[in-house]
Amino acid sequence: MTTEKRYPSDLTDEEWAVVEECLRGEDEMGAGRPLEVDLRRVWDAILYINKTGCQWAYLPHDFPPRTTVNYHYIKWMTTGFFARVNAEVRRRVRKKTVETRNRVRGSSTVKASRAPQNLPEESGFDGYKKVKGRKHHMVTDTTGCVLAVGVHAANIHDSQGAYPLLKTLFKAVPTVRRIWADHAYQGEELATWVKDTFACELEIVKRTTKAFKVLPHRWVVERTLAWLSRYRRLVRVYEKRVASSIAMIWVSSIRILLKKLYPPLNEEGCD
């Protein structure tokens, strides 16, 4: 059944079919009492918040109640469901792009984001970048698809944040054999740990000039960060919980990948 899109962020029928299949795999739509809420509209509501950056209390009334949407969002965030949906959509995108099917390599970078004063969890001050908030670590494959995400307080050094990030990466994608990384990850200790623990080479991509220059391999993950910056919920640290910050990144990544899988006919860019 075709459902009319109410907002540009809403899922199309083809996109919803992919998400619905993932939900069935989680037994969200299986046996038991039938759900009284339309999960498609729940997803549309989460995508609306993610794209516009609006507060939960300002969610338009044509969506399910915000308490219902938030309940499902917290549940999927806690169980890691958003990351699994991202992995499934990424698999389909890579399968569609035949020439990159066997090229599983990673590019990693770190970004500091400003935060409001009332964050109760994981917030600090980065003395080098003069930013109070959190740092976001990210690993993508050679096509720019997000593989792993890490978030921690800004006062923790980048290289220390790499350890939990890479553990998450290799748990999800154990076949990675080379990672090109930002100079913030340089250091013999980290490179040796990656090689001994995961049999993977960590190669630091350094700047050769102060002038603007596209860096080999690094540009891939920087382009992904530019895509993600179009989603206003990620522009600043609006999430009080670190898990929610990570979940919102996965939601944005899912939206981008679905548009790659089913390119919009009458829209410009990667919205």
Side-chain angles (χ1 to χ4, degrees):
M1 181 180 68
T2 302
T3 302
E4 181 182 357
K5 291 181 65 176
R6 298 177 174 86
Y7 299 97
S9 58
D10 287 357
L11 294 170
T12 64
D13 292 338
E14 294 84 0
E15 293 167 345
W16 167 243
V18 177
V19 176
E20 184 179 28
E21 185 175 331
C22 295
L23 286 168
R24 294 188 185 280
E26 297 283 321
D27 200 30
E28 290 280 345
M29 306 176 71
R33 179 182 176 182
L35 290 172
E36 296 180 1
V37 64
D38 183 356
L39 290 183
R40 177 171 181 171
R41 293 303 290 159
V42 171
W43 265 86
D44 287 341
I46 293 172
L47 292 171
Y48 179 89
I49 288 176
N50 179 258
K51 179 62 178 177
T52 65
C54 83
Q55 298 173 327
W56 287 95
Y58 289 86
L59 187 67
H61 294 296
D62 51 354
F63 288 116
R66 66 182 178 90
T67 52
T68 301
V69 176
N70 187 258
Y71 164 77
H72 287 282
Y73 171 76
I74 295 296
K75 180 174 66 173
W76 293 333
M77 175 190 77
T78 305
T79 61
F81 178 62
F82 292 123
R84 291 192 289 276
V85 174
N86 182 84
E88 172 59 24
V89 183
R90 180 179 62 84
R91 182 189 67 80
R92 298 190 184 204
V93 171
R94 288 183 64 88
K95 185 176 181 180
K96 181 180 179 181
T97 313
V98 178
E99 63 271 17
T100 64
R101 188 179 302 172
N102 296 318
R103 296 172 58 199
V104 184
R105 297 186 178 184
S107 296
S108 179
T109 193
V110 61
K111 173 187 176 184
S113 296
R114 297 184 182 276
Q117 300 296 321
N118 61 343
L119 282 183
E121 181 179 309
E122 288 282 341
S123 180
F125 182 77
D126 184 340
Y128 178 74
K129 296 182 178 179
K130 308 300 181 184
V131 173
K132 182 182 185 300
R134 293 174 181 155
K135 288 181 179 177
H136 297 72
H137 298 258
M138 187 176 302
V139 182
T140 72
D141 63 14
T142 54
T143 66
C145 300
V146 180
L147 298 177
V149 176
V151 177
H152 60 70
N155 61 319
I156 298 176
H157 193 272
D158 302 342
S159 60
Q160 296 303 310
Y163 289 95
L165 173 72
L166 295 177
K167 289 178 181 178
T168 302
L169 168 66
F170 285 98
K171 183 178 180 180
V173 191
T175 57
V176 175
R177 289 296 171 261
R178 180 179 293 273
I179 299 175
W180 293 288
D182 183 280
H183 70 278
Y185 298 105
Q186 62 186 344
E188 190 65 29
E189 180 181 348
L190 178 60
T192 302
W193 178 78
V194 172
K195 187 173 183 179
D196 294 344
T197 307
F198 305 110
C200 176
E201 296 292 333
L202 180 64
E203 180 179 332
I204 305 300
V205 181
K206 297 182 179 180
R207 292 186 179 276
T208 57
T209 176
K210 292 184 177 180
F212 175 78
K213 182 180 180 181
V214 177
L215 300 178
H217 310 297
R218 273 281 312 283
W219 68 269
V220 177
V221 70
E222 296 295 346
R223 181 185 61 179
T224 300
L225 288 175
W227 289 342
L228 292 171
S229 68
R230 297 182 180 182
Y231 295 82
R232 294 191 177 185
R233 195 77 180 194
L234 305 183
V235 173
R236 294 189 64 183
V237 182
Y238 292 116
E239 314 305 322
K240 291 185 177 181
R241 299 173 60 183
V242 169
S244 187
S245 290
I246 294 174
M248 280 296 175
I249 294 174
W250 285 127
V251 171
S252 300
S253 176
I254 292 167
R255 176 74 275 185
I256 292 171
L257 291 176
L258 286 172
K259 286 185 175 292
K260 285 178 174 291
L261 193 60
Y262 301 106
L265 298 178
N266 300 318
E267 297 180 30
E268 294 182 0
C270 202
D271 194 22

